[in-house]
Structure formats: C-alpha cells, structure tokens
Amino acid sequence: MLSITTIIFLIIFVLVIAFKIYMKVTTGWCRSHTCLVGKTAIVTGANTGIGYDTALDFAKRGARVILACRDEGRAEEARVRIVEETGNKNIVVQLINMSSFESVRGFAKKINETEERLDILVNNAGAGGIGDKRSTDGHVLLMQINYLSAFLLTNLLIGLLKKTKGSRVVNVSSIAAKYARNFEVADVDKFPGIYSVYNYSKLCNILFTIELAKRLDGIETTTYSLHPGAVKTEIFRHAKGTSKFILNFLKNLFFKTSEEGAQTTIYCSVAKDIEKYNGAHFEDCQEVPAYITTRVPGLSKKLWDLTKDIVELKPEELLI
Ligand SMILES: NC(=O)c1ccc[n+]([C@@H]2O[C@H](COP(=O)([O-])OP(=O)(O)OC[C@H]3O[C@@H](n4cnc5c(N)ncnc54)[C@H](OP(=O)(O)O)[C@@H]3O)[C@@H](O)[C@H]2O)c1
C-alpha cells in the first residue's frame, strides 16, 4: 500500500510533467525560411536572453545585425559567439543605454549617419524589479528603459525605416500588460508600485504599437507587439528574497528556453504576409485578441501625445 504522502507526491509529479508537456506542445515556432541577406536589423538588448537568440536567428538568415547593447564587454562576447556559431561576420556592436535619452540620441545619430537601410528594428531591451528609481533624465527608470527610450529610438529611426521598403518595428511587450488595470496616461511618469510599473511599461509598449500602426497607414513599414511567454532569462536578476526563490523555482521547472522565447519576435520580424496584422499583438507566433487594458478608446493617441513631450521630440523629428 502506498502512503498518503507518496500518493500526493506522485499526483504533483504527474501534474508537473503534464504541464511541462503542455508547455512544449503549445510553444509556437517560427517556421519561416525568409532569407535576410542584404537586410539590416537592430536588436536592442541583444547580448543575452530573448534578444540574443533573436540576433542569432537573424545572423543565421544572413542579415547585417546591429547588437544595440549597453555593456561593451557583454556585447562583444555575444558578437563573437554569434559570428562563431553562424559564420556571419556582418555582426556589429553599437552601444546604447536605454536609461539615458542622450545615449539613445547618440545611437540613432550614428545609425542614421552610417546605415543605408533598416529592415527590422526590435525593441527588446527591458528590465524588471528595479524599484522606485529615477533616471538621470528624471523619469521612472523602469518606464524609461522599457518604454520611453524605445519610443524615442523608433521615432529617431523612422526616416530610415520608411525609406526601407517592407521594414518592420517589433515591440517586445508582455502578458503583464493584461494586468495593468486603471492605467491613465499620466501614470507614465509616476511610480505606481514595483509590479504595476512593469505592467504599465508593457501596456505602453502595446499602446505605442497600436498608435504607430495607425500613423504608418499607407506607408510600407509595419509594426507588431508580442508576449514571448514565460522565459528562462536574466530578467529577474534584481529580484530578492522569497520572490527570487519562487521565480528561480518556477523558471527552472516551467519556463521556455530563450530560443523558444525568441520565436514570436522572430516570427513578427520575418514571417511573410503578416502586414494585414499591422498594429496587432502576438503570442506563440499567432495573432491574439487585444488585451482589454489596451481597448480604451483614444488611450493610444493620448499616450503618444504625452510621450513625445516627455522624450522632447523636436518639431523636425516628428515625421509621423
Ligand atoms: N523573460 C520573460 O519571461 C519575459 C516575459 C515577458 C516579456 N519579456 C520581455 O522580453 C524582453 C527581453 O527580456 P529577457 O527576458 O530576454 O531579459 P534579459 O535576459 O534580462 O535581457 C534583457 C536585455 O535588455 C538589456 N537592458 C536592460 N537594461 C538596459 C539599458 N538600460 N540599456 C540597454 N539595454 C538594457 C540587458 O542588457 P544587460 O545584459 O547589459 O543588462 C539585456 O541585454 C524584455 O523587454 C522583457 O520585458 C520577458
């Protein structure tokens, strides 16, 4: 006879295995064979996690890949690994710190001065759990890294993107946006709490995508947002105490690998004939219905109008 403890243990074991199988079976894979020879892609936060695997995939497809990273050593290490694994030598590092508008402007200036084209911009860099800190520009640090700087960067590169036929802007958001209840645009510059600030920043990524798509209407540049899934990366590196323990436990047991987590970003960047989904949100390489938090009438426009003032876009930089 089995003891009650053994039975409970076996039930938990079977449930864990069943859930793991479910996760593997439902993970979307980008099956597209799109070749990127002659194309240029920028991936922010490309030295690790989802960004690294996205850049690696683009390199395999033959693209010129610009690794937009903040730490020169970590970025160079990633560049060497990508070149070694793919044989593609057209991989370059360009430094950007998303916590500083000056750094974002410097990066965009270099790109606009040196690059002939920009086919794919992946706004991937992000952070979580960094508490109530302010950037040197005076904004909520997490909001600046995850959203404000991506908004500024995209706007500063929009001329080059518009010039490049069929270009795409891919914004890595999160299902956390679903839980960004009661968001009002003024919240973009306030600290609402350690979890809410992440949720709000990821909601802003989606609202930005929706509004950008509207502004790009009639232009051959399209944009998409996505949730990559729960992915085993360094995103929780700032977590402390019990939440760190729980996250590490869940991460090792259930989360996707970063290669799996990069699939929807890759899909939105290279899949053919998805232009009809301009402005839509994706999970597991499929378009999904907009989260309820993103459906507030007029919210995306209001957010855009406030954000352009916060990031201090100049009149001559307002190209869309
Ligand atoms: N992992 C998940 O479960 C999950 C779920 C939903 C959404 N996401 C989103 O996926 C994206 C990628 O995250 P990840 O999971 O791959 O995390 P990650 O492994 O921590 O990678 C984040 C990347 O962003 C970079 N970054 C952070 N702060 C930066 C700054 N100030 N300036 C420039 N780069 C900066 C990091 O650079 P350093 O290495 O130098 O710090 C790193 O390259 C994020 O937008 C995240 O919100 C992740």
Side-chain angles (χ1 to χ4, degrees), residues 45-50 70-71 74 96-99 124-126 145 172-174 198 202 227-231 233-235 237:
N47 56 287
T48 187
I50 296 164
R70 64 172 161 176
D71 183 298
R74 278 162 71 81
I96 186 169
N97 192 330
M98 303 292 275
S99 65
N124 163 81
I145 294 169
V172 182
S173 174
S174 167
Y198 183 77
K202 293 288 133 183
H227 167 57
V231 190
T233 65
E234 297 176 34
I235 193 84
R237 69 185 94 166

Side-chain angles (χ1 to χ4, degrees), residues 88-120:
N88 181 346
K89 295 192 175 65
N90 204 0
I91 314 299
V92 292
V93 167
Q94 198 66 256
L95 294 182
I96 186 169
N97 192 330
M98 303 292 275
S99 65
S100 151
F101 292 150
E102 193 188 349
S103 173
V104 174
R105 284 189 168 279
F107 174 91
K109 186 167 182 284
K110 262 191 213 133
I111 298 295
N112 282 321
E113 282 170 0
T114 55
E115 299 298 324
E116 293 286 310
R117 60 186 299 136
L118 179 55
D119 298 273
I120 304 166

Side-chain angles (χ1 to χ4, degrees), residues 139-189:
H139 304 292
V140 175
L141 182 61
L142 189 130
M143 189 57 97
Q144 182 155 342
I145 294 169
N146 288 7
Y147 165 62
L148 296 172
S149 286
F151 177 98
L152 177 62
L153 179 63
T154 309
N155 274 278
L156 295 176
L157 295 178
I158 208 76
L160 192 57
L161 285 158
K162 277 167 68 179
K163 214 174 85 180
T164 312
K165 211 171 157 222
S167 60
R168 294 183 185 179
V169 178
V170 177
N171 295 313
V172 182
S173 174
S174 167
I175 202 164
K178 230 183 195 173
Y179 308 102
R181 310 248 177 229
N182 310 317
F183 172 79
E184 289 178 19
V185 286
D187 293 328
V188 81
D189 226 9

Side-chain angles (χ1 to χ4, degrees), residues 295-308:
R295 289 196 221 137
V296 182
L299 190 60
S300 63
K301 181 177 182 315
K302 268 196 214 159
L303 180 66
W304 183 287
D305 290 341
L306 179 64
T307 310
K308 78 174 169 37

